[in-house]
Amino acid sequence: MSKEVFDELLGKVGPLITKVDTHLRMSIGPAERLAICLRYLATGDSYATIAFSYRFGRSTVAVIVKEVAGAIWTALVEECMPVPQVEDWRAIAAGFQERWEFPNCVGAIDGKHVVIQAPANAGSLYFNYKSTHSLVLLAVVDAEYLFRVVDVGGFGRSSDSGSLRNSAFGESLRDGSLQLPPDTVIAGSERRGPLPHVFVGDEAFPLLDNLLRPFPGRHLTRERRLFNYRLSRARLVVECAFGILSTQWRMLRRVITTSPEVTELCVKAACVLHNFLRRKTIDMPSRTPIARSTDEVTPTLCDAPRMGSNNATRQSIQQRETFCSYFNEEGAVRWQANVV
C-alpha cells in the first residue's frame, strides 16, 4: 500500500476513528490508529508485539484493532462491495464470458475456514473437519477476483452447503429474490432456448436452479468430464481470490487468538480492503451507492432459518445437462479436448 493509497483510505476512515483530546492527555491520531490496525491485518502479529512496536499498552492495541476494523467495513462497504443489482449481475456475467468462456455465470462461490483459537466453553461448534477451530468465510467472487458478497461468522463445524443454507444469501438464492437477470439465450445456441444465470461451486454445494456443481463420481462420460473441467476452470477464481486475500492479509495464515466477534470484524475489513486495493490494480471505478430499503439483502449476511434438503429438482438437473451439451458442442474451446 503506497502512501497515496494510505492517505486516501485515511480520508475515508479517519472521521470514524478520530478521538477528542482531553485536558489529561492527547488522543492517538487517526493515522496511527489506522496504521496499527493495518499492521495487525497484514502480519497477524500478537497484540503484545504491536504494542511494543508502537509503545502503547496491549489493551489499547486491542481496542484500536476492534474499532478501526469495524470503521473500515462501515466506510468502504457501500463503495467497494455494494449490493449487486441487475446491471451489476449482467456485467459480472459478461466478465465470465470474456475471460473464462462460461456464459450466464454471475459468480463463483466457495467457503474458507479462518483458523481461530478455540473460544471458551464453545464445545465443538467451531471444530472443523481439518481438526482445527475456525469461522467460515462464505464468498461470491466475480471474474476480476473481487468479492461481491461475503458472509462471515459461520461455525467451523458447518459444511459449505450448510453455511450457504443458513445464510440470507442462500435463502435469497432459493426464493429468487437476488434480482438476477432473466433467463438469456446464449449467442450461437438459440436452439437450446433461454438459460438461467447461475453461480458455480464445487461438490460441497447443492445443485439448484441458479447454482451449478460438477457431476459427481469417478467413472464419468467424456462429455461430463469436459463439463466438470469448464465449470472448475470458472470456479477457480474464488480459490485465487482467497489466495490473494491471505497473501496480502497474513492474519488469515495464522491462528487468530481474538474473540470470534473481533475475528469477524477483521475478516470483513480484510475483504473490503481487498476490493479497495484490487479496484485500483484493475482500474475499475467504484459504483456510486444507491438508496435501498432496509429489508434488502446486504453484503453482511445474517443468519437465516434452516432450509430443506439438498435434493436437486428435475429442472436443475435438466439445466446442468443443457450446459453440458453446450460446452461439448457449440460452446467448446479448442484446447479442452487435450485437457480431459
Side-chain angles (χ1 to χ4, degrees), residues 97-102 222 226 229-230 233-234 327 331-340:
Q97 175 66 49
E98 179 183 358
R99 299 195 64 175
W100 306 109
E101 289 89 16
F102 201 110
R222 180 177 178 82
L226 283 171
Y229 163 71
R230 294 291 296 274
R233 182 171 177 267
F327 287 132
V333 292
R334 63 182 181 279
W335 66 83
Q336 68 181 30
N338 300 326
V339 175
V340 179

Side-chain angles (χ1 to χ4, degrees), residues 46-250:
S46 66
Y47 287 163
T49 301
I50 298 176
F52 181 80
S53 299
Y54 285 88
R55 297 184 179 182
F56 292 140
R58 181 184 178 279
S59 60
T60 302
V61 172
V63 172
I64 288 175
V65 169
K66 180 179 180 180
E67 292 180 350
V68 177
I72 290 173
W73 172 260
T74 302
L76 297 181
V77 64
E78 292 290 344
E79 176 186 353
C80 299
M81 202 186 296
V83 178
Q85 305 298 318
V86 176
E87 292 304 321
D88 299 315
W89 293 125
R90 286 198 177 99
I92 295 172
F96 272 98
Q97 175 66 49
E98 179 183 358
R99 299 195 64 175
W100 306 109
E101 289 89 16
F102 201 110
N104 288 15
C105 179
V106 289
I109 184 172
D110 201 6
K112 174 180 174 60
H113 286 273
V114 179
V115 182
I116 62 173
Q117 181 176 304
N121 303 317
S124 61
L125 281 177
Y126 297 94
F127 191 76
N128 59 43
Y129 70 97
K130 298 180 180 180
S131 299
T132 60
H133 294 81
S134 64
L135 290 175
V136 177
L137 164 61
L138 185 71
V140 174
V141 177
D142 66 12
E144 300 288 347
Y145 309 104
L146 292 171
F147 292 104
R148 292 305 185 124
V149 178
V150 296
D151 172 30
V152 188
F155 296 130
R157 65 183 296 179
S158 301
S159 63
D160 289 344
S161 177
S163 298
L164 175 67
R165 182 174 58 246
N166 296 325
S167 68
F169 174 79
E171 183 182 14
S172 300
L173 182 63
R174 288 178 181 270
D175 62 26
S177 60
L178 280 180
Q179 300 187 28
L180 295 177
D183 296 357
T184 305
V185 176
I186 302 174
S189 185
E190 290 77 8
R191 64 188 179 87
R192 302 188 187 279
L195 289 176
H197 288 78
V198 296
F199 299 91
V200 291
D202 58 18
E203 297 87 348
F205 291 96
L207 179 63
L208 304 174
D209 291 349
N210 296 107
L211 176 58
L212 287 181
R213 54 162 290 174
F215 286 102
R218 292 176 175 268
H219 305 290
L220 299 175
T221 62
R222 180 177 178 82
E223 290 75 16
R224 292 189 171 188
R225 284 188 285 119
L226 283 171
F227 169 83
N228 286 357
Y229 163 71
R230 294 291 296 274
L231 184 143
S232 298
R233 182 171 177 267
R235 188 191 61 81
L236 281 181
V237 295
V238 66
E239 304 285 359
C240 294
F242 285 149
I244 296 171
L245 181 71
S246 60
T247 299
Q248 288 183 321
W249 310 105
R250 291 180 176 261

Side-chain angles (χ1 to χ4, degrees), residues 11-24:
K12 298 178 183 295
V13 181
L16 301 178
I17 61 176
T18 301
K19 300 296 182 179
V20 179
D21 297 333
T22 67
H23 294 290
L24 300 178

